[in-house]
Structure formats: structure tokens, C-alpha cells
Amino acid sequence: MQLDSKVPGGPLSEQWDKHRCELKLVNPANKRKFNIIVVGTGLAGGAASASLAELGYYVKTFCIQDSPRRAHSIAAQGGINGAKNYPNDGDSIQHLFYDTIKGGDFRARESNVYRLAQASVDIIDQCVAQGVPFAREYGGLLANRSFGGAQVSRTFYARGQTGQQLLLGAYSALSRQINAGKVEMFTRREMLDLVVINDQARGIIVRNLITGEIESHDADAVVLCTGGYANVFFLSTNAMASNVTASFRAYKKGAFFANPCFTQIHPTCIPVHGTFQSKLTLMSESLRNDGRVWVPKNPGDKRPANQIPESEREYYLENQYPSFGNLVPRDVASRRAKEQCDIGKGVGETGLAVYLDFAEAIERDGRDIIEKKYGNLFQMYEKITAENPYETPMMIYPAIHYTMGGLWVDYNLMSNLEGLFVLGEANFSDHGANRLGASALMQGLADGYFIIPYTIGGYLAGTSRKDITTDHPAFKDAVKMVKARMNNLLSIKGKRTVDDFHRELGLTLWEHCGMSRNEEGLKKAKEHIKGLQEEFWQNVTVPGREKDFNQSLERAGRVADFLEFSQVMIEDALERKESCGGHFNEAFQTDENEALRDDENFCHVSAWEFKGDDKDPEMHKEPLVFKNVELTQRSYK
């Protein structure tokens, strides 16, 4: 099968404008005749729902939480990129485009990334108009700060609460449409299956998490904005409810899953502190603007930080990468932190941490200035660790944070399944093998506010569909399968808890498919997880009933999907015999231990097709063609 990316021709800077003009339009009076389902209410889902309803479509929006305001987008802290060049430091759309392509280690589609850089300028204006309280300079202009992988200041921020403030902006726009009757909001619903009729996505099956009732909903198009799958690792910075189920159900109905092995490790997380810890906490990348990363020069030095003199400190990022220093991209900073800990220079009780020190910044600018920039982050750190980061350095260590892989989409953000659109972190399209900091919020809002309103209209106007209702046999069959699966889980009555299986799965993936991978470890993990999956379906215990508020049943379904999906991740990692971005295969590295790409054989997107429960998935390739940037070895020195 040929994957058609539907990228328009012509110069890169003119493609999106040209494409918008060529897309078919829906008459304003006809828009109200179309029903659209949006799953997820983070920045991508909230923006899409509000924008589509504003245009006149009837929208059904589903969220797994009790309110759209609780979407995981709220956890993003540091900022959102926008190529507005307010500091007059040389930024441009072209610079943001290049930084994003390079930061993703040349494994993203040029056209999608350039469009994202173009949209970034309008996103900032949109959010300001909504009342998002971005930080401002003394004269009133919006303030900017730097982020990893860039040598300009292009990141707009609201202290350490940027995601929360942007989500409130999208939520206010969504609420307006709910009040106007154009959006029907379904809270506490979990999507458990996608309904495909005549090779078109025509609806979803959801479970009411309060009553246990199974519901069917039909539509002319389905928009998935369900986030990433980082919780497959058990310990991650994601919200506890984040999962892969919606995407994986779509995959099993025919949507291709692209680059599942591309997962991001964030370098500035609070280290693991206990065996029974259930999640990790991110300390914003913005802290690397003023914080200096260091370890003791001598391995095994366990003195407190304030007893280690300057001459005995190793500022390893500043020394190895003089051009970018502490602001190298996340994959690079994470590997270097692991490297320091592996040679015995790690700090803290476990030795799996490095210091992030603000002493110099506080002395230079004063505590008041640092508190205005990062006060809530410092407060959060102190609450969790009982240490004051104004007086002692923070301790940080890499952790799973984001997933660059996701369902394959074309330039219109539609999957290979007609009528199934995928936005934000749930798709693969913009970040390649490593996401630059402050780009997740940018992508979610670009997809929701500025791309899907055009492209979904082109689909609805240009594609014929039969009228269907939830009485169609495809809906009834999907409901039967969903109920049978839940009854199966409840009937096992085994001896191991869901969390016990999930924790073992996560540890296996972290060890063998985490910050570094090798063929032997990946094959070992694949066999172990296959056995773990078999034991899960024989020995898991899920108390309660189907028609109840049953969080054990919720988690069991998600972990069952994680167990199956993780094998696709590993298959993808085994197939990609190179290192790029967050996929670091130990057999492919430079003399300086940096990722070594193989552009001749692996300059492509790996899109995996489900072939059956008892068969291996089939890989399809979308070649990546670079006409506007030169494929070079990444360097941040």
C-alpha cells in the first residue's frame, strides 16, 4: 500500500496557502447538517471543538475527566513557541522550522513542520485575544525566554503555568459553544472502540465511567485528540488517566501507527524516590535558562552540594556543548545525565540524579526576579522533596515525558482511514524523533485552531457518505465486542493486580526500550512482554462489576492495550537500525556517543498496519524527502 501524504506542490512557504485555496468548502448553511465527534479536550481537542462549532458544525465532544479543564495539557509548564522575533534576536519562521526539523533529527515531514512554524505566529495573537496572561516586559510587550535546541528567545510563557492558562483559553471558547448549543459535551466517557463502515470512520463506542453504561455515537467524521502513550512505561510525567486505548482501538480497525518507538525522555524530572511511586513530576525545561547542570568531578563524591567547591564541579553540558550549553535538546541532555550517573558521578541517595543549580542566577539577578519567573515551580519542588531550591540545588533525572509516535496522518491530519482525523500528540506528524521544548502546546493549538477547520471541510465537501445511525450492524457488533472484553477481564479472578502487571511492563520497557536500546535487550523485552501478556489474561484480578463506577476495570482495559501495544513499539525499535533523536540504538553512535543516523536506509516514517491478533504487524514506509534543509549530523557544540 502506498502512503499518500497529500503534500501540495510548490515552494514550501506557499504550500499551506495554496492548499487552503484548493480545498473544497462547505456552504455555511450546510455546515449545520454535519455531525463531528471530537475525542479529547486538551489543547487540540478543545480548540478543535470550539473552532468547528463556531463555523456551524454540530459537535459532540468527549472527555475522560469530569471537566475539560482537567486535560493533561494543563500540566505543561514552560511555554509555547512563536516565531514573532519580539526580542529582535534574529528569529523567523524559517529559523523555527529549521530548529524543529533539526531537533527531531531529520525524521519529520518538511511540509507539516513549516506549516506549524507559520501558524505559531497566529497562535500567540489568538491566545492573547482570549485573555491568556502571558508574561510581559516592563514596556508592555510580551516577554520571551529560551528553550532547548534554540539560540533565540521565542518561547512565550505565563510563569510556570503556561499549559493551564492556554487550556483555560481554549476551555472558555469551548464553553461558549456549549452554551450556544453547538457542542454537546460528554464528560467521564472513555472511548473503547472506533466504528468503521465502508472503510470510513463513522462513530465511536464509549463507556460512561460513572454508570458503566456502553454508549454508541455516530458522526460524519471522527477527530481523535487523545494525547500520547507515555504511561506505557508506568512511571512517566503524564496524568494517570493518559492511555493508548483510543489510538490503539483505531489501529486495530485499520489506522496505521507511525514511529511508535519514538518516545521522549525529559531531562529535568524529580528523581524516582520509592518502589510504590505511581507517577513522576516534571520540572519545566524553562528552568535550564537560569539553572546550571552539574555533578561532582570525582566519582563517588557524596558530600552535600554546598560542600563541593566550584573547582570540583563538572558543568558537563556547558563543557561539551559550548554553543548551546544547558539548553541542548532534551534527548541530548538526557543521555548526558545518564552517562554521568553511569560513571558514578550521580548525586542523591540512589546516585541517579544530577544537580540543577540556581545559586549564580540568584546572586546575579536577585531572588525576587527568579521567584517571579519560576516561583510556583520552586514551590512545587519543595513540597515534593522537602528541600528549598533557593538554598540548595534541585536534583533532577531523566524520565519518560512525551511520545513523538502516533497514528499516521497526511497533510490534512487525516489517517489512512477516511474520516478519521488525528490531532496533537495523538498523531506523529511534527516532531520527528525528538520534540523541542515548548512545541507541544504549539502543535495542539495549531492543529485545533488553524488546520482542522479547513481540512475537515475539504473532506466533508469532497467525499460521499451514506446516511447511517447507531442501529447499523457495525455499531451493534462493536458494542458486543466491547462488552465481551470487559466481561472477560472481570471473569479471570486471578491473583495479581493490574498495577503489578503495569509496573513490570514499565520496568521492562525502561530497561530495554528507554533512554538506550540494543537488539539483544529489545528481543529479550519482546519475549518477556509476550509472556507477561499471556499471564495477564490468566492471572489478573479485577474486582467489581461492569455496570458500576469501577476504576480497576478502567485500568485493566488500558493496561491490556499497553501490553499489546508495547510489542508494536519494540518491533518498530528493532526494525530501525540507526540512532536518531529519542531512539538511541547503542550499536549506532558516533565516537562522541551521539546518535548516528542512517539516512540512506532509514529516512522514512515507519507506519505499522494491524494484521490480526495472531500475526505480526506489517510495516509501510513513507519516504521523507528533504528539499529545503541539508541532512547533516546534529551538532550543538
Side-chain angles (χ1 to χ4, degrees):
M1 177 182 177
Q2 287 292 109
L3 287 173
D4 183 5
S5 63
K6 295 185 172 64
V7 171
L12 193 63
S13 61
E14 299 174 10
Q15 286 179 348
W16 179 229
D17 287 339
K18 176 176 180 281
H19 190 62
R20 283 187 294 179
C21 288
E22 293 174 347
L23 284 168
K24 291 186 177 181
L25 300 174
V26 179
N27 181 298
N30 287 340
K31 286 188 172 75
R32 64 177 65 98
K33 298 178 182 178
F34 293 109
N35 299 325
I36 300 172
I37 283 174
V38 178
V39 188
T41 56
L43 290 183
S49 296
S51 299
L52 294 172
E54 183 77 38
L55 287 171
Y57 298 107
Y58 176 70
V59 180
K60 284 185 175 181
T61 302
F62 297 80
C63 77
I64 203 170
Q65 303 89 359
D66 59 348
S67 166
R69 291 175 297 172
R70 293 188 187 274
H72 182 57
S73 299
I74 201 172
Q77 299 162 331
I80 177 171
N81 288 329
K84 295 183 80 70
N85 195 32
Y86 280 174
N88 199 29
D89 58 357
D91 198 16
S92 64
I93 289 172
Q94 182 68 29
H95 270 296
L96 177 53
F97 159 69
Y98 180 74
D99 286 347
T100 306
I101 286 284
K102 177 184 174 183
D105 217 348
F106 304 94
R107 290 294 175 263
R109 195 187 286 150
E110 274 192 340
S111 298
N112 287 65
V113 176
Y114 193 87
R115 179 177 61 184
L116 178 65
Q118 286 177 304
S120 73
V121 177
D122 295 327
I123 291 169
I124 304 304
D125 295 338
Q126 168 86 1
C127 295
V128 170
Q130 289 176 332
V132 173
F134 287 123
R136 293 181 180 267
E137 303 288 0
Y138 179 76
L141 291 178
L142 298 182
N144 291 109
R145 58 189 177 199
S146 300
F147 252 67
Q151 291 180 302
V152 296
S153 293
R154 64 163 67 100
T155 304
F156 296 78
Y157 62 97
R159 297 186 76 188
Q161 306 170 347
T162 313
Q164 178 180 359
Q165 299 302 329
L166 293 172
L167 186 61
L168 288 173
Y171 175 66
S172 67
L174 174 59
S175 296
R176 179 172 177 270
Q177 298 305 319
I178 294 172
N179 187 61
K182 295 180 180 179
V183 172
E184 188 175 0
M185 188 73 229
F186 295 85
T187 59
R188 299 296 284 159
R189 301 307 203 278
E190 181 171 20
M191 175 181 158
L192 295 180
D193 208 354
L194 177 74
V195 177
V196 179
I197 300 173
N198 297 327
D199 296 324
Q200 295 173 326
R202 296 305 304 271
I204 61 173
I205 308 299
V206 300
R207 179 172 182 265
N208 184 319
L209 298 180
I210 303 300
T211 67
E213 183 181 356
I214 303 300
E215 302 171 358
S216 301
H217 298 270
D218 62 84
D220 292 292
V222 176
V223 183
L224 289 190
C225 311
T226 50
Y229 48 87
N231 275 349
V232 69
F233 288 88
F234 186 71
L235 285 179
S236 83
T237 66
N238 281 202
M240 294 294 289
S242 298
N243 62 80
V244 77
T245 292
S247 294
F248 197 64
R249 296 293 106 199
Y251 161 75
K252 297 193 81 170
K253 284 298 179 73
F256 293 176
F257 214 112
N259 299 336
C261 80
F262 285 173
T263 55
Q264 179 167 84
I265 316 293
H266 199 294
T268 54
C269 297
I270 297 178
V272 177
H273 64 260
T275 305
F276 295 102
Q277 190 170 345
S278 58
K279 80 176 298 294
L280 297 172
T281 303
L282 170 70
M283 299 310 297
S284 170
E285 182 170 305
S286 63
L287 295 172
R288 290 199 277 150
N289 272 286
D290 289 298
R292 301 181 70 192
V293 179
W294 65 275
V295 291
K297 282 186 175 180
N298 301 315
D301 190 339
K302 295 299 180 183
R303 289 176 293 173
N306 57 11
Q307 293 182 15
I308 301 177
E310 193 73 17
S311 61
E312 296 179 32
R313 299 180 178 188
E314 175 69 29
Y315 295 93
Y316 58 90
L317 290 178
E318 296 174 27
N319 294 338
Q320 292 184 53
Y321 306 99
S323 292
F324 282 75
N326 295 300
L327 288 173
V328 292
R330 293 173 177 178
D331 60 320
V332 176
S334 295
R335 285 196 292 273
R336 296 292 81 83
K338 180 180 185 296
E339 185 177 79
Q340 295 298 319
C341 294
D342 286 349
I343 61 176
K345 295 185 180 182
V347 301
E349 292 182 7
T350 64
L352 294 175
V354 298
Y355 287 126
L356 182 62
D357 197 337
F358 290 85
E360 182 181 289
I362 292 172
E363 183 178 353
R364 180 187 66 238
D365 299 331
R367 174 169 169 163
D368 289 348
I369 297 297
I370 299 301
E371 193 167 352
K372 286 179 181 178
K373 287 183 178 180
Y374 313 113
N376 60 310
L377 299 173
F378 278 45
Q379 184 183 44
M380 181 171 68
Y381 181 87
E382 186 170 6
K383 281 187 175 182
I384 293 172
T385 66
E387 292 188 359
N388 185 343
Y390 293 105
E391 298 174 359
T392 60
M394 289 182 180
M395 284 192 284
I396 57 169
Y397 193 70
I400 295 289
H401 175 60
Y402 188 89
T403 54
M404 286 76 64
L407 293 180
W408 183 89
V409 292
D410 61 19
Y411 190 68
N412 294 318
L413 303 185
M414 188 167 74
S415 78
N416 58 291
L417 272 180
E418 278 196 2
L420 178 65
F421 293 82
V422 191
L423 278 54
E425 191 179 356
N427 75 32
F428 86 100
S429 66
D430 291 356
H431 306 299
N434 172 64
R435 178 176 66 78
L436 289 184
S439 288
L441 305 181
M442 179 174 62
Q443 185 203 355
L445 293 180
D447 289 356
Y449 284 138
F450 298 109
I451 299 172
I452 194 65
Y454 292 95
T455 60
I456 204 168
Y459 167 74
L460 294 172
T463 308
S464 61
R465 293 166 307 284
K466 292 182 179 180
D467 292 335
I468 56 102
T469 69
T470 55
D471 290 330
H472 191 284
F475 281 92
K476 297 184 182 299
D477 290 344
V479 169
K480 286 180 184 177
M481 290 181 64
V482 165
K483 288 184 175 180
R485 190 168 187 262
M486 288 192 297
N487 289 332
N488 191 5
L489 287 168
L490 290 166
S491 69
I492 296 170
K493 308 296 183 186
K495 296 182 179 179
R496 288 185 68 180
T497 65
V498 173
D499 277 2
D500 196 28
F501 281 102
H502 195 182
R503 187 179 289 108
E504 185 174 341
L505 168 66
L507 183 61
T508 302
L509 287 174
W510 177 251
E511 289 289 330
H512 301 297
C513 196
M515 262 195 288
S516 62
R517 300 103 186 258
N518 59 60
E519 187 168 351
E520 180 184 357
L522 287 167
K523 288 180 177 178
K524 179 180 177 182
K526 184 178 179 180
E527 288 303 309
H528 180 75
I529 292 171
K530 189 177 293 185
L532 191 64
Q533 182 187 16
E534 291 173 0
E535 184 187 354
F536 177 88
W537 286 103
Q538 297 171 3
N539 196 31
V540 73
T541 178
V542 184
R545 301 184 306 169
E546 173 195 342
K547 291 189 175 180
D548 275 335
F549 174 66
N550 189 341
Q551 291 185 303
S552 294
L553 179 58
E554 293 172 33
R555 287 188 55 73
R558 295 166 196 167
V559 172
D561 285 332
F562 278 143
L563 282 162
E564 196 171 349
F565 167 71
S566 63
Q567 295 173 64
V568 186
M569 284 179 63
I570 291 172
E571 196 72 40
D572 188 42
L574 279 167
E575 183 278 335
R576 190 167 285 276
K577 299 185 185 302
E578 65 166 352
S579 289
C580 55
H583 169 67
F584 189 76
N585 187 320
E586 294 169 2
F588 304 96
Q589 52 184 305
T590 68
D591 293 339
E592 297 176 323
N593 305 118
E594 303 287 2
L596 182 62
R597 296 193 322 271
D598 180 353
D599 294 329
E600 183 177 349
N601 297 301
F602 293 94
C603 196
H604 62 251
V605 176
S606 300
W608 295 88
E609 178 185 6
F610 177 70
K611 302 299 289 185
D613 290 323
D614 57 347
K615 297 179 181 178
D616 289 333
E618 180 182 348
M619 191 191 74
H620 304 273
K621 296 179 182 180
E622 179 201 337
L624 291 171
V625 180
F626 293 92
K627 298 179 180 178
N628 300 275
V629 296
E630 182 183 354
L631 287 167
T632 59
Q633 173 67 37
R634 276 201 306 172
S635 175
Y636 293 95
K637 293 186 178 296

